[in-house]
Amino acid sequence: MADKTVLVVEDEANIVDILAFNLEREGYRVLSAYDGQAGLALAREKKPDLILLDLMLPGLNGFEVCKALRDDGDTVPILILTAREEEADKVRGLELGADDYITKPFSIRELMARVKSNIRRGDMPPRSDDRQGLRLGRIRLDSAAAACYKDDLPVDLSQREFELISFLCANPDTVFSREELMEHVWNYGGYVGDVRGVDVAVRRLREKLEDDPANPKFVMTRRGLGYYFNSQHS
Ligand code: CA
């Protein structure tokens, strides 16, 4: 975990203190901001390895910070912090490009596991001597560069979306349940809880990848079972 920096954007000072204490204990460097504007500025300037982002913030709210960073093309893993009752906010956050959310009040153990899982994803070093290319019809993946191409044109995907399409393409025409995708793509072992994040990620992926997102040819739904990559697309 050495040299990994986590930015905490949260206006409740006691939560920032608790998060900073635990993150530092695990060896992370911690930056903190108490409002959206400062958080966005720090994110842009310091390029943290992960952001813990509260939604209800003074100034810019968490949604606006998240959207601004994604509009910049920044793919930093973002975990949003939401109150348990704010169900719709979780989905909205994921739609704006957050990678994951955690519900307040959270257990520190769970939060640290999520941080670790999401930072690790962002930490796959490019190996220039081992470029793992994969072409399936019109779709080409370059895992070393974490790049996806359709008809040889780059498709701008988040890390999570890239990992999702990579996993599906590595197992073409195999149907995976949302729980299985949670486990393999989101790295939650034995995940049985909320799998809506998978649906949101698939929807976002389709919006970027498909010719007609309402009528997908690449990332297919097998009703009642899950999702698969269709290698027979034309
Ligand atoms: Ca707040």
Side-chain angles (χ1 to χ4, degrees):
M1 274 333 132
D3 301 312
K4 294 290 178 189
T5 301
V6 175
L7 169 61
V8 179
V9 188
E10 163 67 79
D11 58 322
E12 288 171 64
N14 60 332
I15 295 183
V16 176
D17 290 350
I18 292 167
L19 290 174
F21 174 79
N22 282 282
L23 288 163
E24 284 171 354
R25 219 160 50 103
E26 293 280 325
Y28 298 103
R29 288 184 55 227
V30 178
L31 301 166
S32 48
Y34 297 90
D35 66 70
Q37 229 99 32
L40 181 58
L42 267 182
R44 283 173 168 161
E45 189 193 331
K46 303 288 187 185
K47 300 283 173 212
D49 298 290
L50 181 138
I51 301 176
L52 289 173
L53 180 62
D54 184 33
L55 288 178
M56 307 304 267
L57 291 165
L60 291 177
N61 65 34
F63 296 120
E64 293 168 312
V65 172
C66 183
K67 182 172 188 305
L69 288 170
R70 294 304 185 234
D71 286 350
D72 287 352
D74 194 329
T75 59
V76 58
I78 297 176
L79 270 66
I80 53 179
L81 306 171
T82 75
R84 181 157 292 159
E85 59 271 22
E86 294 163 342
E87 287 291 317
D89 285 354
K90 299 171 186 173
V91 173
R92 187 168 163 222
L94 295 171
E95 283 173 344
L96 286 176
D99 294 273
D100 205 348
Y101 58 79
I102 190 146
T103 307
K104 292 195 270 190
F106 44 78
S107 86
I108 286 294
R109 218 173 123 238
E110 185 190 2
L111 183 120
M112 297 309 292
R114 299 279 186 98
V115 166
K116 212 168 277 180
S117 152
N118 280 277
I119 275 197
R120 213 188 304 124
R121 291 188 310 104
D123 195 28
M124 291 185 294
R127 292 171 297 172
S128 56
D129 57 336
D130 183 22
R131 293 184 76 82
Q132 300 286 333
L134 175 64
R135 179 185 281 281
L136 287 169
R138 296 169 60 195
I139 303 297
R140 181 164 61 86
L141 299 172
D142 177 345
S143 64
C148 173
Y149 302 86
K150 178 174 92 171
D151 303 329
D152 288 321
L153 295 172
V155 182
D156 188 19
L157 300 180
S158 74
Q159 281 180 23
R160 179 82 79 199
E161 290 153 4
F162 179 76
E163 284 169 23
L164 178 57
I165 189 70
S166 297
F167 181 77
L168 292 172
C169 284
N171 307 273
D173 306 311
T174 305
V175 179
F176 292 97
S177 70
R178 297 187 297 174
E179 288 78 7
E180 286 170 326
L181 292 172
M182 260 291 160
E183 188 179 335
H184 291 290
V185 181
W186 277 254
N187 295 322
Y188 298 164
Y191 199 99
V192 289
D194 189 342
V195 290
R196 277 173 306 175
V198 175
D199 298 330
V200 173
V202 165
R203 188 158 77 236
R204 288 179 55 84
L205 181 58
R206 282 174 173 160
E207 280 164 9
K208 295 176 178 181
L209 198 66
E210 300 285 349
D211 300 330
D212 174 7
N215 184 22
K217 287 180 175 171
F218 304 114
V219 179
M220 312 297 285
T221 301
R222 178 70 50 80
R223 200 159 297 281
L225 291 177
Y227 298 107
Y228 66 100
F229 184 85
N230 169 28
S231 69
Q232 302 305 310
H233 63 264
S234 52

